[in-house]
Amino acid sequence: MEIQINDYSLESYHQFLWAKQQPIHKVDGRSIHIEQFDASDSSGKMGLASHLFDYQQFIVTLCLVKKRFAVFADVGLGKTAIFLEWARHVSKRVWPKKTLIISQLHLINQTMEEQMKFYGWTNILDINRVFDGDINKFIAIKNTDWEGAPVGIVNVDKFNHAFRLGEHIGAVVLDESGCLKDETSVRRTNIIDSCRGIPYKMACSATPAPNDRQEYANHALFLDYIDNFKQFFTRYFYNTGSGNDFMLKPHAKRAFYEFLSLWSIFMKNPANYGFEDNLHGIMPPNVIWDRISLTEEQRAAAAKHAQGGQLNLFGVVAGGMTSRNKLAQISKGFMYE
């Protein structure tokens, strides 16, 4: 919809304030264009695959319309099926540029299996593994050398430096996007820098920390909704003066959540949003804990990294980040010196 601000009356001022509060708006002179989107009846028009559940079709449609979007969906809700269908559509939109899926190493084979499960031996969606992380070779391949859609999948750990993806990649999927959590991570920085300016982006995670402002800031930065990391905090938060402790500004609470809704969706149970109750009747998980005692060698190594040399029932008292990292390594049977 479009609002015209034609005078300086109090009514026009209130219209202006209301329009500015909308998540997606653009001011052009005296006109304010407000984007209102309803994906509830759009999936059929886009020709989405029939194997998707109703909520998956809704999310894919939403991501296609928004172009840059984050899917925070709980474990078991089919994020792989969602981003595969999204990649199938955007790979046609961005032609002759390519589409790249960035994934964890242990998930690449699973993703390829899901591709075969849903699309089989067809050219509807043909994902090619970027072996050895040689992304430069992938982006240099001419599209005529590929059968089907030019989609590649690469290990996230190969981003030990930044690539110039924007010139050749038109769409990117970042699976398990929780890798963006740490602001100081070299890999996080390289992924964001490599994907800057790409028109179609999707980030997928099942475990966004509900109170981790830094994680949301990094996702917004990856999706190009903010210009830099600090912009996110200065807009919505204030520093309490106690170290790096930020609190949400009281007057910015609604604006903050509307900003999140602009580029992300959170879902744990689709039935809560009016979709079919596909999770009904599923048995709860049966969790079995295998408790393995530390060896004497591990206990001795852990004692060296105890906070002030203190020991407790579990062996040590964890100190700072370095100490906790060492203890985590020791518990897994190795330690980087």
Side-chain angles (χ1 to χ4, degrees):
M1 62 180 297
E2 190 171 288
I3 295 178
Q4 293 288 337
I5 308 298
N6 297 318
D7 53 41
Y8 296 98
S9 65
L10 186 60
E11 181 182 355
S12 295
Y13 179 65
H14 285 306
Q15 280 187 316
F16 173 76
L17 291 180
W18 176 82
K20 292 284 286 183
Q21 292 175 351
Q22 305 311 305
I24 310 177
H25 66 273
K26 182 179 180 181
V27 179
D28 184 13
R30 291 182 175 273
S31 300
I32 305 177
H33 177 74
I34 301 171
E35 181 179 336
Q36 294 179 314
F37 170 67
D38 180 10
S40 58
D41 60 350
S42 302
S43 57
K45 300 176 183 178
M46 291 190 174
L48 299 185
S50 59
H51 64 259
L52 297 176
F53 290 115
D54 53 355
Y55 70 90
Q56 293 174 330
Q57 291 187 350
F58 174 84
I59 293 176
V60 172
T61 303
L62 192 61
C63 294
L64 288 171
V65 173
K66 293 296 186 70
K67 295 185 178 180
R68 307 184 312 279
F69 209 70
V71 179
F72 299 128
D74 205 6
V75 175
L77 293 184
K79 288 181 294 300
T80 303
I82 289 171
F83 76 66
L84 286 177
E85 180 68 9
W86 183 83
R88 179 172 77 90
H89 285 267
V90 297
S91 63
K92 301 173 183 177
R93 293 188 182 187
V94 303
W95 180 272
K97 290 188 175 182
K98 302 178 179 66
T99 298
L100 183 65
I101 300 171
I102 304 172
S103 181
Q104 301 290 327
L105 179 62
H106 65 282
L107 295 177
I108 290 181
N109 288 337
Q110 176 182 317
T111 301
M112 304 292 280
E113 291 172 1
E114 293 283 288
Q115 171 205 348
M116 291 300 303
K117 172 183 175 181
F118 294 127
Y119 303 101
W121 291 101
T122 67
N123 288 338
I124 295 177
L125 179 63
D126 186 15
I127 299 178
N128 296 265
R129 182 161 181 169
V130 183
F131 289 100
D132 301 324
D134 197 343
I135 300 176
N136 290 321
K137 284 187 178 180
F138 168 68
I139 61 181
I141 293 176
K142 295 181 180 179
N143 292 327
T144 55
D145 297 335
W146 291 67
E147 294 183 2
V151 180
I153 187 168
V154 67
N155 178 10
V156 67
D157 292 322
K158 298 304 180 179
F159 281 80
N160 50 16
H161 64 275
F163 298 89
R164 299 179 63 180
L165 299 182
E167 299 179 9
H168 307 277
I169 303 297
V172 62
V173 175
L174 179 58
D175 191 18
E176 297 296 333
S177 57
C179 63
L180 297 175
K181 289 179 185 290
D182 187 3
E183 179 196 3
T184 62
S185 168
V186 174
R187 184 178 61 181
R188 163 263 185 200
T189 302
N190 289 334
I191 291 174
I192 291 175
D193 289 344
S194 299
C195 299
R196 199 177 300 276
I198 293 177
Y200 284 87
K201 297 182 184 181
M202 176 188 279
C204 299
S205 177
T207 56
N211 296 316
D212 194 336
R213 300 168 292 273
Q214 182 170 286
E215 182 173 0
Y216 295 140
N218 283 325
H219 274 83
L221 185 58
F222 168 74
L223 296 171
D224 291 328
Y225 283 101
I226 56 176
D227 297 325
N228 55 70
F229 185 76
K230 292 184 179 179
Q231 184 185 74
F232 179 87
F233 288 89
T234 57
R235 183 183 298 177
Y236 302 110
F237 297 89
Y238 68 94
N239 195 318
T240 62
S242 176
N244 197 32
D245 187 19
F246 286 87
M247 296 294 291
L248 185 63
K249 296 177 180 177
H251 67 273
K253 182 177 181 180
R254 177 173 176 175
F256 170 68
Y257 288 108
E258 287 183 342
F259 177 68
L260 291 184
S261 69
L262 167 67
W263 52 265
S264 65
I265 184 170
F266 294 75
M267 184 174 290
K268 294 186 75 67
N269 185 354
N272 294 339
Y273 303 91
F275 297 106
E276 293 184 16
D277 190 1
N278 301 303
L279 303 181
H280 179 71
I282 296 180
M283 297 294 292
N286 182 22
V287 180
I288 300 175
W289 289 91
D290 290 327
R291 300 189 179 276
I292 303 174
S293 301
L294 295 176
T295 65
E296 290 302 319
E297 184 180 4
Q298 285 176 307
R299 290 184 179 276
K304 295 181 181 179
H305 298 280
Q307 184 180 19
Q310 299 179 44
L311 299 179
N312 64 8
L313 181 62
F314 300 99
V316 297
V317 176
M321 181 62 72
T322 300
S323 175
R324 291 197 296 272
N325 285 337
K326 292 297 182 184
L327 296 176
Q329 294 168 14
I330 293 168
S331 68
K332 298 172 184 175
F334 67 91
M335 187 168 64
Y336 293 127
E337 295 294 349

